[in-house]
Amino acid sequence: MNIEDLVGKYNIIGCNQDEKSNDYTGKLVLSLDFNNRIQAVWTIGSNQQQTGTGFFKNNILVINFSYTGDDQNIYKGVVVYQCLSKDVLDGFWSEKHGNPLYLGEERCFRIKTNAVPLN
């Protein structure tokens, strides 16, 4: 697998970095910048947007991310995905000020588009 195989849109399911194990869903869009580095944009729920940049090696994708919380503070963290295939990413994450006793978890499933052939 190479980095270009990861570009695309994914549905995500996950749980937060806390003892309550609050579940969430959303979307993830992966693209490449001019240096062939991963650019990530998550939309958690219907409106929380997070962005990040990362790198890929040996089927492991690592992304440093940040977002502005409801309290207007900026939160930062890192997510590590094991790329099970080009369509399924299995990850865990931690935020700088999250509960250090827990890791968040996330699984991503590629959104496949059905191309209609032109006649």
Side-chain angles (χ1 to χ4, degrees), residues 1-31:
M1 188 176 334
N2 60 52
I3 196 167
E4 291 84 4
D5 292 332
L6 300 177
V7 171
K9 297 178 182 180
Y10 298 81
N11 285 316
I12 57 174
I13 57 171
C15 61
N16 285 313
Q17 183 184 354
D18 57 30
E19 65 183 312
K20 297 176 187 171
S21 195
N22 292 317
D23 294 336
Y24 62 87
T25 60
K27 305 272 188 231
L28 169 62
V29 178
L30 298 178
S31 60

Side-chain angles (χ1 to χ4, degrees), residues 1 5-7 10 83-89 110:
M1 188 176 334
D5 292 332
L6 300 177
V7 171
Y10 298 81
C83 302
L84 302 178
S85 72
K86 65 180 185 174
D87 297 328
V88 179
L89 312 177
R110 182 179 300 276

Side-chain angles (χ1 to χ4, degrees), residues 10-18 22-30 40-52 63 65-70 75 79 81 93 95 104-108:
Y10 298 81
N11 285 316
I12 57 174
I13 57 171
C15 61
N16 285 313
Q17 183 184 354
D18 57 30
N22 292 317
D23 294 336
Y24 62 87
T25 60
K27 305 272 188 231
L28 169 62
V29 178
L30 298 178
V41 178
W42 292 263
T43 303
I44 305 301
S46 61
N47 63 354
Q48 184 190 74
Q49 192 166 62
Q50 302 180 8
T51 59
I63 303 172
F65 67 88
S66 66
Y67 66 96
T68 302
D70 293 336
Y75 294 90
V79 60
Y81 293 111
W93 57 269
E95 288 182 5
E105 295 182 13
E106 193 165 275
R107 189 162 270 204
C108 308

Side-chain angles (χ1 to χ4, degrees), residues 58-114:
N58 296 331
N59 293 341
I60 301 293
L61 176 60
V62 178
I63 303 172
N64 294 298
F65 67 88
S66 66
Y67 66 96
T68 302
D70 293 336
D71 58 6
Q72 300 308 305
N73 288 326
I74 296 176
Y75 294 90
K76 297 179 179 182
V78 64
V79 60
V80 178
Y81 293 111
Q82 179 179 10
C83 302
L84 302 178
S85 72
K86 65 180 185 174
D87 297 328
V88 179
L89 312 177
D90 186 41
F92 61 92
W93 57 269
S94 180
E95 288 182 5
K96 181 178 180 182
H97 297 292
N99 187 334
L101 299 177
Y102 301 93
L103 290 173
E105 295 182 13
E106 193 165 275
R107 189 162 270 204
C108 308
F109 302 92
R110 182 179 300 276
I111 299 170
K112 296 190 179 190
T113 57
N114 294 329

